[in-house]
Amino acid sequence: MRIFLDTANIDQIKQAAKLGIISGVTTNPTLLSKENTADYESVVKTICSIVSGSVSAEVLAEDAEGMIKEGRIKASWAPNVAVKIPATAAGIEATSTLSKENIKVNMTLCFSLNQALLGALAGATYVSAFVGRLDDAGHDGMQLIKDIVEVFAHYQLPTQVIAASIRHPLHCVAAAKAGAHIATVPYSVLMQMINHPLTDVGISRFLADWRRVSSPEKGK
Ligand code: G3P
């Protein structure tokens, strides 16, 4: 499973990129608003200068014609931009048109297997299933990931499944076990994936033991 970063925060993206394990970035209007900017183009172009993998930028239009127009513009910002389009009838129509023009689409706000299947049939490169928001609504978000992965594999559909709306490290573990191609994670969750108290304790003990033999005075 590959990891995308789910943020529009440039400092976080720079920090995460240094780790060498980030394959892409996903953004949405809420994430842009958290950075207090409406200059989507400038933010996406900056992200694309840091990350060579896929960078998702979401359309704001709600009708197919508007989504197609906006999708073409956003896709022109950088070669690695994927256009994020919501799983509505207008979104499916826009995805069909844009994917025929070889524009990569990330079908977002998928909350059902049917939405994901239709997104794949429309030619989406990715479908983003919102695990956390389904959990919030009392459903089993990860079961949706399992179902989509199983059906796409059964029909050999090339669309990649993104586990989105990831809230904690256990979501990442479950997404990997469910066969998600990608998990898009907030920076805080990425750090939680790395950190383990026993690793910290282990390092302290190793260093304390080493100090005892290498410089006995300091070890006292
Ligand atoms: O990738 C989608 C993500 O940004 C939504 O997350 O936490 O707002 O449900 P959340």
Side-chain angles (χ1 to χ4, degrees), residues 74-117:
K74 288 192 157 111
S76 75
W77 289 346
N80 50 333
V81 168
V83 181
K84 237 177 163 186
I85 295 184
T88 59
I92 304 276
E93 183 182 334
T95 299
S96 294
T97 299
L98 292 172
S99 60
K100 285 188 188 79
E101 296 174 15
N102 292 321
I103 290 175
K104 289 190 165 56
V105 173
N106 175 356
M107 176 141 289
T108 188
L109 290 166
C110 285
F111 293 97
S112 74
L113 176 56
N114 281 335
Q115 288 177 317
L117 179 59

mmCIF file of all heavy atoms in Angstrom, residues 74-117:
data_model
loop_
_atom_site.group_PDB
_atom_site.id
_atom_site.type_symbol
_atom_site.label_atom_id
_atom_site.label_comp_id
_atom_site.label_asym_id
_atom_site.label_seq_id
_atom_site.Cartn_x
_atom_site.Cartn_y
_atom_site.Cartn_z
ATOM 1 N N LYS A 74 -7.458 22.699 -14.096
ATOM 2 C CA LYS A 74 -6.653 22.219 -12.957
ATOM 3 C C LYS A 74 -5.615 21.202 -13.436
ATOM 4 O O LYS A 74 -4.482 21.191 -12.962
ATOM 5 C CB LYS A 74 -7.556 21.652 -11.865
ATOM 6 C CG LYS A 74 -8.312 22.783 -11.138
ATOM 7 C CD LYS A 74 -9.003 22.365 -9.861
ATOM 8 C CE LYS A 74 -9.209 23.584 -8.968
ATOM 9 N NZ LYS A 74 -10.553 24.031 -8.779
ATOM 10 N N ALA A 75 -5.991 20.373 -14.414
ATOM 11 C CA ALA A 75 -5.045 19.373 -14.933
ATOM 12 C C ALA A 75 -3.876 20.042 -15.658
ATOM 13 O O ALA A 75 -2.798 19.446 -15.778
ATOM 14 C CB ALA A 75 -5.774 18.412 -15.867
ATOM 15 N N SER A 76 -4.096 21.280 -16.133
ATOM 16 C CA SER A 76 -3.016 21.968 -16.869
ATOM 17 C C SER A 76 -2.002 22.608 -15.923
ATOM 18 O O SER A 76 -0.960 23.071 -16.360
ATOM 19 C CB SER A 76 -3.615 23.045 -17.782
ATOM 20 O OG SER A 76 -4.024 24.160 -17.004
ATOM 21 N N TRP A 77 -2.302 22.629 -14.617
ATOM 22 C CA TRP A 77 -1.391 23.284 -13.670
ATOM 23 C C TRP A 77 -0.040 22.562 -13.560
ATOM 24 O O TRP A 77 0.984 23.178 -13.371
ATOM 25 C CB TRP A 77 -2.032 23.367 -12.279
ATOM 26 C CG TRP A 77 -3.166 24.342 -12.185
ATOM 27 C CD1 TRP A 77 -3.489 25.311 -13.097
ATOM 28 C CD2 TRP A 77 -4.126 24.454 -11.122
ATOM 29 N NE1 TRP A 77 -4.588 26.009 -12.664
ATOM 30 C CE2 TRP A 77 -5.006 25.514 -11.460
ATOM 31 C CE3 TRP A 77 -4.320 23.768 -9.928
ATOM 32 C CZ2 TRP A 77 -6.064 25.891 -10.639
ATOM 33 C CZ3 TRP A 77 -5.371 24.147 -9.104
ATOM 34 C CH2 TRP A 77 -6.235 25.201 -9.456
ATOM 35 N N ALA A 78 -0.074 21.242 -13.685
ATOM 36 C CA ALA A 78 1.177 20.446 -13.614
ATOM 37 C C ALA A 78 0.869 19.054 -14.157
ATOM 38 O O ALA A 78 -0.283 18.603 -14.085
ATOM 39 C CB ALA A 78 1.672 20.355 -12.171
ATOM 40 N N PRO A 79 1.883 18.365 -14.685
ATOM 41 C CA PRO A 79 1.622 17.044 -15.299
ATOM 42 C C PRO A 79 1.146 15.998 -14.297
ATOM 43 O O PRO A 79 0.508 15.009 -14.700
ATOM 44 C CB PRO A 79 2.981 16.632 -15.882
ATOM 45 C CG PRO A 79 3.905 17.765 -15.669
ATOM 46 C CD PRO A 79 3.270 18.797 -14.799
ATOM 47 N N ASN A 80 1.439 16.203 -13.008
ATOM 48 C CA ASN A 80 1.059 15.180 -12.006
ATOM 49 C C ASN A 80 -0.238 15.503 -11.258
ATOM 50 O O ASN A 80 -0.531 14.891 -10.231
ATOM 51 C CB ASN A 80 2.201 14.925 -11.010
ATOM 52 C CG ASN A 80 2.782 16.178 -10.402
ATOM 53 O OD1 ASN A 80 2.741 17.240 -10.999
ATOM 54 N ND2 ASN A 80 3.316 16.062 -9.204
ATOM 55 N N VAL A 81 -1.015 16.459 -11.788
ATOM 56 C CA VAL A 81 -2.293 16.776 -11.124
ATOM 57 C C VAL A 81 -3.355 15.748 -11.496
ATOM 58 O O VAL A 81 -3.515 15.401 -12.668
ATOM 59 C CB VAL A 81 -2.788 18.194 -11.504
ATOM 60 C CG1 VAL A 81 -4.236 18.403 -11.059
ATOM 61 C CG2 VAL A 81 -1.895 19.257 -10.870
ATOM 62 N N ALA A 82 -4.047 15.241 -10.477
ATOM 63 C CA ALA A 82 -5.255 14.432 -10.682
ATOM 64 C C ALA A 82 -6.425 15.309 -10.251
ATOM 65 O O ALA A 82 -6.353 15.996 -9.235
ATOM 66 C CB ALA A 82 -5.209 13.156 -9.855
ATOM 67 N N VAL A 83 -7.483 15.284 -11.047
ATOM 68 C CA VAL A 83 -8.639 16.139 -10.748
ATOM 69 C C VAL A 83 -9.601 15.363 -9.860
ATOM 70 O O VAL A 83 -10.025 14.256 -10.201
ATOM 71 C CB VAL A 83 -9.335 16.563 -12.058
ATOM 72 C CG1 VAL A 83 -10.522 17.456 -11.739
ATOM 73 C CG2 VAL A 83 -8.358 17.272 -12.979
ATOM 74 N N LYS A 84 -9.915 15.970 -8.712
ATOM 75 C CA LYS A 84 -10.816 15.318 -7.759
ATOM 76 C C LYS A 84 -12.249 15.724 -8.085
ATOM 77 O O LYS A 84 -12.573 16.919 -8.101
ATOM 78 C CB LYS A 84 -10.461 15.778 -6.351
ATOM 79 C CG LYS A 84 -10.131 14.663 -5.387
ATOM 80 C CD LYS A 84 -9.723 15.248 -4.055
ATOM 81 C CE LYS A 84 -9.793 14.189 -2.970
ATOM 82 N NZ LYS A 84 -9.527 14.769 -1.655
ATOM 83 N N ILE A 85 -13.084 14.731 -8.337
ATOM 84 C CA ILE A 85 -14.457 14.992 -8.755
ATOM 85 C C ILE A 85 -15.397 14.172 -7.879
ATOM 86 O O ILE A 85 -15.182 12.970 -7.694
ATOM 87 C CB ILE A 85 -14.631 14.605 -10.242
ATOM 88 C CG1 ILE A 85 -13.767 15.523 -11.108
ATOM 89 C CG2 ILE A 85 -16.091 14.651 -10.667
ATOM 90 C CD1 ILE A 85 -13.906 15.316 -12.601
ATOM 91 N N PRO A 86 -16.439 14.803 -7.320
ATOM 92 C CA PRO A 86 -17.333 14.052 -6.425
ATOM 93 C C PRO A 86 -18.195 13.016 -7.157
ATOM 94 O O PRO A 86 -18.486 13.155 -8.346
ATOM 95 C CB PRO A 86 -18.207 15.141 -5.793
ATOM 96 C CG PRO A 86 -18.094 16.322 -6.680
ATOM 97 C CD PRO A 86 -16.792 16.235 -7.394
ATOM 98 N N ALA A 87 -18.590 12.000 -6.409
ATOM 99 C CA ALA A 87 -19.346 10.871 -6.971
ATOM 100 C C ALA A 87 -20.830 11.210 -7.091
ATOM 101 O O ALA A 87 -21.666 10.693 -6.355
ATOM 102 C CB ALA A 87 -19.146 9.635 -6.100
ATOM 103 N N THR A 88 -21.125 12.099 -8.044
ATOM 104 C CA THR A 88 -22.518 12.441 -8.362
ATOM 105 C C THR A 88 -22.742 12.087 -9.832
ATOM 106 O O THR A 88 -21.783 11.741 -10.538
ATOM 107 C CB THR A 88 -22.752 13.953 -8.185
ATOM 108 O OG1 THR A 88 -21.835 14.650 -9.061
ATOM 109 C CG2 THR A 88 -22.501 14.398 -6.753
ATOM 110 N N ALA A 89 -23.979 12.224 -10.306
ATOM 111 C CA ALA A 89 -24.244 11.959 -11.728
ATOM 112 C C ALA A 89 -23.411 12.908 -12.590
ATOM 113 O O ALA A 89 -22.789 12.492 -13.579
ATOM 114 C CB ALA A 89 -25.735 12.123 -12.013
ATOM 115 N N ALA A 90 -23.372 14.189 -12.188
ATOM 116 C CA ALA A 90 -22.559 15.164 -12.936
ATOM 117 C C ALA A 90 -21.085 14.762 -12.882
ATOM 118 O O ALA A 90 -20.357 14.865 -13.874
ATOM 119 C CB ALA A 90 -22.751 16.554 -12.349
ATOM 120 N N GLY A 91 -20.660 14.266 -11.717
ATOM 121 C CA GLY A 91 -19.266 13.851 -11.543
ATOM 122 C C GLY A 91 -18.910 12.655 -12.421
ATOM 123 O O GLY A 91 -17.816 12.579 -12.987
ATOM 124 N N ILE A 92 -19.824 11.710 -12.544
ATOM 125 C CA ILE A 92 -19.575 10.534 -13.398
ATOM 126 C C ILE A 92 -19.461 10.988 -14.861
ATOM 127 O O ILE A 92 -18.556 10.559 -15.589
ATOM 128 C CB ILE A 92 -20.744 9.504 -13.280
ATOM 129 C CG1 ILE A 92 -20.985 9.075 -11.834
ATOM 130 C CG2 ILE A 92 -20.510 8.318 -14.213
ATOM 131 C CD1 ILE A 92 -20.140 7.997 -11.292
ATOM 132 N N GLU A 93 -20.356 11.884 -15.256
ATOM 133 C CA GLU A 93 -20.322 12.385 -16.637
ATOM 134 C C GLU A 93 -18.999 13.116 -16.911
ATOM 135 O O GLU A 93 -18.341 12.875 -17.926
ATOM 136 C CB GLU A 93 -21.518 13.335 -16.858
ATOM 137 C CG GLU A 93 -21.606 13.853 -18.279
ATOM 138 C CD GLU A 93 -22.771 14.844 -18.459
ATOM 139 O OE1 GLU A 93 -23.762 14.774 -17.702
ATOM 140 O OE2 GLU A 93 -22.670 15.691 -19.371
ATOM 141 N N ALA A 94 -18.610 13.978 -15.975
ATOM 142 C CA ALA A 94 -17.356 14.723 -16.143
ATOM 143 C C ALA A 94 -16.161 13.775 -16.160
ATOM 144 O O ALA A 94 -15.222 13.945 -16.947
ATOM 145 C CB ALA A 94 -17.216 15.744 -15.017
ATOM 146 N N THR A 95 -16.209 12.749 -15.314
ATOM 147 C CA THR A 95 -15.104 11.771 -15.257
ATOM 148 C C THR A 95 -14.983 11.036 -16.593
ATOM 149 O O THR A 95 -13.872 10.829 -17.104
ATOM 150 C CB THR A 95 -15.343 10.771 -14.101
ATOM 151 O OG1 THR A 95 -15.387 11.501 -12.879
ATOM 152 C CG2 THR A 95 -14.255 9.721 -14.024
ATOM 153 N N SER A 96 -16.111 10.637 -17.165
ATOM 154 C CA SER A 96 -16.081 9.938 -18.457
ATOM 155 C C SER A 96 -15.427 10.808 -19.519
ATOM 156 O O SER A 96 -14.577 10.341 -20.289
ATOM 157 C CB SER A 96 -17.509 9.587 -18.911
ATOM 158 O OG SER A 96 -18.075 8.651 -18.042
ATOM 159 N N THR A 97 -15.796 12.090 -19.537
ATOM 160 C CA THR A 97 -15.232 12.997 -20.560
ATOM 161 C C THR A 97 -13.743 13.233 -20.312
ATOM 162 O O THR A 97 -12.918 13.098 -21.220
ATOM 163 C CB THR A 97 -15.980 14.352 -20.537
ATOM 164 O OG1 THR A 97 -17.353 14.098 -20.841
ATOM 165 C CG2 THR A 97 -15.404 15.331 -21.540
ATOM 166 N N LEU A 98 -13.384 13.568 -19.069
ATOM 167 C CA LEU A 98 -11.983 13.917 -18.781
ATOM 168 C C LEU A 98 -11.056 12.716 -18.923
ATOM 169 O O LEU A 98 -9.934 12.843 -19.406
ATOM 170 C CB LEU A 98 -11.879 14.524 -17.366
ATOM 171 C CG LEU A 98 -12.551 15.893 -17.196
ATOM 172 C CD1 LEU A 98 -12.555 16.317 -15.728
ATOM 173 C CD2 LEU A 98 -11.865 16.952 -18.051
ATOM 174 N N SER A 99 -11.529 11.537 -18.526
ATOM 175 C CA SER A 99 -10.643 10.365 -18.620
ATOM 176 C C SER A 99 -10.373 9.998 -20.087
ATOM 177 O O SER A 99 -9.290 9.511 -20.411
ATOM 178 C CB SER A 99 -11.197 9.177 -17.836
ATOM 179 O OG SER A 99 -12.448 8.809 -18.333
ATOM 180 N N LYS A 100 -11.339 10.284 -20.956
ATOM 181 C CA LYS A 100 -11.101 10.050 -22.401
ATOM 182 C C LYS A 100 -10.052 11.022 -22.952
ATOM 183 O O LYS A 100 -9.440 10.768 -23.982
ATOM 184 C CB LYS A 100 -12.405 10.205 -23.188
ATOM 185 C CG LYS A 100 -13.342 9.012 -23.012
ATOM 186 C CD LYS A 100 -14.540 9.077 -23.950
ATOM 187 C CE LYS A 100 -15.541 7.987 -23.622
ATOM 188 N NZ LYS A 100 -16.401 8.298 -22.469
ATOM 189 N N GLU A 101 -9.857 12.129 -22.260
ATOM 190 C CA GLU A 101 -8.816 13.101 -22.662
ATOM 191 C C GLU A 101 -7.499 12.817 -21.930
ATOM 192 O O GLU A 101 -6.594 13.654 -21.908
ATOM 193 C CB GLU A 101 -9.294 14.522 -22.323
ATOM 194 C CG GLU A 101 -10.531 14.937 -23.097
ATOM 195 C CD GLU A 101 -11.091 16.297 -22.655
ATOM 196 O OE1 GLU A 101 -10.391 17.052 -21.957
ATOM 197 O OE2 GLU A 101 -12.243 16.580 -23.015
ATOM 198 N N ASN A 102 -7.430 11.631 -21.306
ATOM 199 C CA ASN A 102 -6.238 11.216 -20.543
ATOM 200 C C ASN A 102 -5.948 12.103 -19.334
ATOM 201 O O ASN A 102 -4.801 12.214 -18.899
ATOM 202 C CB ASN A 102 -4.995 11.129 -21.444
ATOM 203 C CG ASN A 102 -5.114 9.994 -22.425
ATOM 204 O OD1 ASN A 102 -5.623 8.922 -22.078
ATOM 205 N ND2 ASN A 102 -4.699 10.228 -23.663
ATOM 206 N N ILE A 103 -6.981 12.750 -18.829
ATOM 207 C CA ILE A 103 -6.836 13.505 -17.579
ATOM 208 C C ILE A 103 -7.160 12.548 -16.435
ATOM 209 O O ILE A 103 -8.191 11.865 -16.455
ATOM 210 C CB ILE A 103 -7.776 14.736 -17.571
ATOM 211 C CG1 ILE A 103 -7.264 15.760 -18.593
ATOM 212 C CG2 ILE A 103 -7.887 15.336 -16.169
ATOM 213 C CD1 ILE A 103 -8.158 16.970 -18.791
ATOM 214 N N LYS A 104 -6.239 12.487 -15.470
ATOM 215 C CA LYS A 104 -6.436 11.567 -14.342
ATOM 216 C C LYS A 104 -7.493 12.123 -13.387
ATOM 217 O O LYS A 104 -7.436 13.297 -13.018
ATOM 218 C CB LYS A 104 -5.122 11.351 -13.593
ATOM 219 C CG LYS A 104 -4.119 10.520 -14.385
ATOM 220 C CD LYS A 104 -2.944 10.132 -13.515
ATOM 221 C CE LYS A 104 -2.118 9.031 -14.133
ATOM 222 N NZ LYS A 104 -1.620 9.328 -15.472
ATOM 223 N N VAL A 105 -8.441 11.258 -13.024
ATOM 224 C CA VAL A 105 -9.516 11.669 -12.114
ATOM 225 C C VAL A 105 -9.452 10.848 -10.831
ATOM 226 O O VAL A 105 -9.255 9.625 -10.869
ATOM 227 C CB VAL A 105 -10.903 11.496 -12.778
ATOM 228 C CG1 VAL A 105 -12.024 11.761 -11.766
ATOM 229 C CG2 VAL A 105 -11.049 12.435 -13.982
ATOM 230 N N ASN A 106 -9.595 11.549 -9.719
ATOM 231 C CA ASN A 106 -9.737 10.919 -8.413
ATOM 232 C C ASN A 106 -11.191 11.118 -8.007
ATOM 233 O O ASN A 106 -11.575 12.235 -7.639
ATOM 234 C CB ASN A 106 -8.771 11.580 -7.420
ATOM 235 C CG ASN A 106 -8.936 11.069 -5.997
ATOM 236 O OD1 ASN A 106 -9.822 10.265 -5.710
ATOM 237 N ND2 ASN A 106 -8.093 11.552 -5.106
ATOM 238 N N MET A 107 -12.012 10.074 -8.140
ATOM 239 C CA MET A 107 -13.436 10.220 -7.779
ATOM 240 C C MET A 107 -13.557 10.213 -6.261
ATOM 241 O O MET A 107 -13.225 9.210 -5.599
ATOM 242 C CB MET A 107 -14.263 9.113 -8.409
ATOM 243 C CG MET A 107 -15.699 9.183 -7.971
ATOM 244 S SD MET A 107 -16.882 8.816 -9.263
ATOM 245 C CE MET A 107 -16.773 10.225 -10.320
ATOM 246 N N THR A 108 -14.037 11.335 -5.741
ATOM 247 C CA THR A 108 -14.011 11.530 -4.285
ATOM 248 C C THR A 108 -15.407 11.447 -3.677
ATOM 249 O O THR A 108 -16.404 11.360 -4.398
ATOM 250 C CB THR A 108 -13.335 12.889 -3.955
ATOM 251 O OG1 THR A 108 -13.142 12.985 -2.543
ATOM 252 C CG2 THR A 108 -14.174 14.069 -4.428
ATOM 253 N N LEU A 109 -15.436 11.457 -2.347
ATOM 254 C CA LEU A 109 -16.705 11.376 -1.603
ATOM 255 C C LEU A 109 -17.479 10.118 -1.970
ATOM 256 O O LEU A 109 -18.709 10.157 -2.118
ATOM 257 C CB LEU A 109 -17.542 12.644 -1.829
ATOM 258 C CG LEU A 109 -16.975 13.925 -1.177
ATOM 259 C CD1 LEU A 109 -17.651 15.168 -1.727
ATOM 260 C CD2 LEU A 109 -17.114 13.871 0.344
ATOM 261 N N CYS A 110 -16.753 8.994 -2.130
ATOM 262 C CA CYS A 110 -17.403 7.693 -2.391
ATOM 263 C C CYS A 110 -17.796 7.080 -1.049
ATOM 264 O O CYS A 110 -16.949 6.886 -0.166
ATOM 265 C CB CYS A 110 -16.451 6.732 -3.092
ATOM 266 S SG CYS A 110 -16.197 7.113 -4.813
ATOM 267 N N PHE A 111 -19.065 6.771 -0.920
ATOM 268 C CA PHE A 111 -19.575 6.162 0.318
ATOM 269 C C PHE A 111 -20.269 4.839 0.050
ATOM 270 O O PHE A 111 -20.870 4.258 0.957
ATOM 271 C CB PHE A 111 -20.528 7.132 1.028
ATOM 272 C CG PHE A 111 -19.829 8.353 1.554
ATOM 273 C CD1 PHE A 111 -19.830 9.536 0.825
ATOM 274 C CD2 PHE A 111 -19.134 8.319 2.755
ATOM 275 C CE1 PHE A 111 -19.167 10.664 1.293
ATOM 276 C CE2 PHE A 111 -18.473 9.443 3.241
ATOM 277 C CZ PHE A 111 -18.491 10.612 2.502
ATOM 278 N N SER A 112 -20.208 4.356 -1.210
ATOM 279 C CA SER A 112 -20.839 3.063 -1.516
ATOM 280 C C SER A 112 -20.055 2.355 -2.612
ATOM 281 O O SER A 112 -19.335 2.993 -3.404
ATOM 282 C CB SER A 112 -22.292 3.263 -1.972
ATOM 283 O OG SER A 112 -22.315 3.774 -3.295
ATOM 284 N N LEU A 113 -20.228 1.044 -2.649
ATOM 285 C CA LEU A 113 -19.585 0.244 -3.694
ATOM 286 C C LEU A 113 -20.096 0.660 -5.065
ATOM 287 O O LEU A 113 -19.337 0.716 -6.035
ATOM 288 C CB LEU A 113 -19.872 -1.248 -3.424
ATOM 289 C CG LEU A 113 -19.374 -2.238 -4.464
ATOM 290 C CD1 LEU A 113 -17.889 -2.116 -4.706
ATOM 291 C CD2 LEU A 113 -19.717 -3.652 -4.050
ATOM 292 N N ASN A 114 -21.376 0.953 -5.172
ATOM 293 C CA ASN A 114 -21.936 1.361 -6.464
ATOM 294 C C ASN A 114 -21.273 2.629 -6.987
ATOM 295 O O ASN A 114 -20.934 2.724 -8.170
ATOM 296 C CB ASN A 114 -23.452 1.580 -6.343
ATOM 297 C CG ASN A 114 -24.207 0.264 -6.365
ATOM 298 O OD1 ASN A 114 -23.720 -0.717 -6.909
ATOM 299 N ND2 ASN A 114 -25.382 0.259 -5.784
ATOM 300 N N GLN A 115 -21.086 3.611 -6.111
ATOM 301 C CA GLN A 115 -20.426 4.850 -6.551
ATOM 302 C C GLN A 115 -19.013 4.551 -7.051
ATOM 303 O O GLN A 115 -18.588 5.061 -8.089
ATOM 304 C CB GLN A 115 -20.352 5.846 -5.389
ATOM 305 C CG GLN A 115 -21.679 6.466 -5.015
ATOM 306 C CD GLN A 115 -21.530 7.378 -3.797
ATOM 307 O OE1 GLN A 115 -20.855 7.030 -2.818
ATOM 308 N NE2 GLN A 115 -22.156 8.544 -3.843
ATOM 309 N N ALA A 116 -18.289 3.701 -6.314
ATOM 310 C CA ALA A 116 -16.919 3.367 -6.700
ATOM 311 C C ALA A 116 -16.903 2.611 -8.031
ATOM 312 O O ALA A 116 -16.067 2.883 -8.905
ATOM 313 C CB ALA A 116 -16.258 2.527 -5.606
ATOM 314 N N LEU A 117 -17.832 1.686 -8.193
ATOM 315 C CA LEU A 117 -17.900 0.905 -9.431
ATOM 316 C C LEU A 117 -18.175 1.822 -10.624
ATOM 317 O O LEU A 117 -17.512 1.719 -11.673
ATOM 318 C CB LEU A 117 -18.996 -0.162 -9.304
ATOM 319 C CG LEU A 117 -19.230 -1.052 -10.523
ATOM 320 C CD1 LEU A 117 -17.964 -1.813 -10.911
ATOM 321 C CD2 LEU A 117 -20.372 -2.028 -10.258
#
